[in-house]
Amino acid sequence: MQGLRSRAFSGQRLQPASRTSLNVVCKESRIGMKPVVIPKGVTIDLKGQNLRVKGPRGELQWTFVPEVTLKQEDGKLLVARAEQTKRGSAMHGLSRSLASNMVVGVSAGFEKRMEMVGTGYRASSAGKELTLNVGYSKPRVLPIPDGITVKVEKNTSIIIGGADKVALGAYCAVIRGQRPPEPYKGKGIRYEGEVIKLKEGKGGGKKK
């Protein structure tokens, strides 16, 4: 027993394991490995990291990061990693998603629906302007960007469409920001199907 104690408290330090033999292996992205199928009516112009996609819904262009490489082969667009790093693995899946969104955007397009909840709330579109009446003293007038289409149904339902998914999402965020849903009655502008978590008012906890 005395021998065990003497060895346990002898003051000798354990040497750390050597890190020279550790190899970092970045797995292939499951999303990045999927090829992007090019449908009929869509043409692709690929020059290095610059990709231009043209279709019936419009034309989009994007310059990809140097961590990935793009190649067109047999009616498909292939995205691969240029370097085996953690950033290269992250950019692999992201770049493939961006390329897929470009192809889908110019061929079928994207669409988002928004709804207005509140007494007297209504919307109207004329030309390149969207007018929102959302409880302020004056209506909010928003310019409609190029490549974005806006349609209003039943005065409270807004349908926004476009080929560029990023620009579409940004414009929808601007519309929602004019009157975000408040947490007590849920009044405001929301995405169709969006769930608003409501709070209890000051008298919500009082016993009757």
Side-chain angles (χ1 to χ4, degrees):
M1 190 68 180
Q2 185 66 26
L4 292 175
R5 288 182 179 179
S6 61
R7 278 183 288 177
F9 300 99
S10 60
Q12 295 180 356
R13 295 182 179 180
L14 297 176
Q15 296 295 328
S18 176
R19 297 184 179 181
T20 57
S21 60
L22 296 178
N23 294 324
V24 179
V25 179
C26 298
K27 295 183 179 179
E28 291 286 344
S29 170
R30 290 179 294 178
I31 297 177
M33 290 189 297
K34 295 180 180 179
V36 180
V37 179
I38 304 172
K40 293 182 180 180
V42 175
T43 58
I44 286 183
D45 183 17
L46 181 59
K47 295 181 180 178
Q49 301 301 104
N50 188 27
L51 175 65
R52 186 186 299 271
V53 183
K54 188 176 181 179
R57 296 275 182 167
E59 182 177 344
L60 296 175
Q61 180 180 350
W62 189 264
T63 301
F64 289 84
V65 295
E67 285 82 1
V68 298
T69 59
L70 292 88
K71 181 175 66 174
Q72 185 178 357
E73 185 178 274
D74 298 331
K76 298 179 181 179
L77 185 63
L78 306 177
V79 183
R81 285 189 294 178
E83 53 185 41
Q84 301 297 324
T85 61
K86 187 175 181 179
R87 175 174 168 80
S89 179
M91 293 296 105
H92 188 198
L94 174 62
S95 300
R96 191 269 175 193
S97 297
L98 292 174
S100 177
N101 289 340
M102 293 174 66
V103 173
V104 174
V106 300
S107 58
F110 295 98
E111 183 180 277
K112 284 184 177 290
R113 292 175 175 264
M114 309 187 75
E115 55 188 14
M116 307 172 69
V117 179
T119 304
Y121 287 13
R122 63 185 185 276
S124 62
S125 62
K128 298 293 291 183
E129 290 183 342
L130 173 65
T131 304
L132 303 173
N133 291 276
V134 285
Y136 298 114
S137 59
K138 295 181 180 180
R140 297 291 179 92
V141 180
L142 303 178
I144 301 175
D146 294 335
I148 300 295
T149 60
V150 177
K151 182 181 178 182
V152 179
E153 292 182 349
K154 299 180 181 180
N155 294 330
T156 58
S157 179
I158 309 172
I159 305 172
I160 306 99
D164 191 340
K165 191 174 184 180
V166 176
L168 176 64
Y171 188 64
C172 290
V174 171
I175 296 175
R176 188 181 185 275
Q178 302 306 309
R179 179 67 85 174
E182 52 92 15
Y184 294 101
K185 294 184 179 180
K187 294 181 179 180
I189 305 175
R190 66 179 72 176
Y191 297 104
E192 189 179 75
E194 181 181 0
V195 178
I196 307 299
K197 189 175 181 180
L198 301 180
K199 297 180 180 179
E200 290 187 359
K202 291 183 179 180
K206 293 182 178 180
K207 296 182 179 179
K208 296 182 180 180

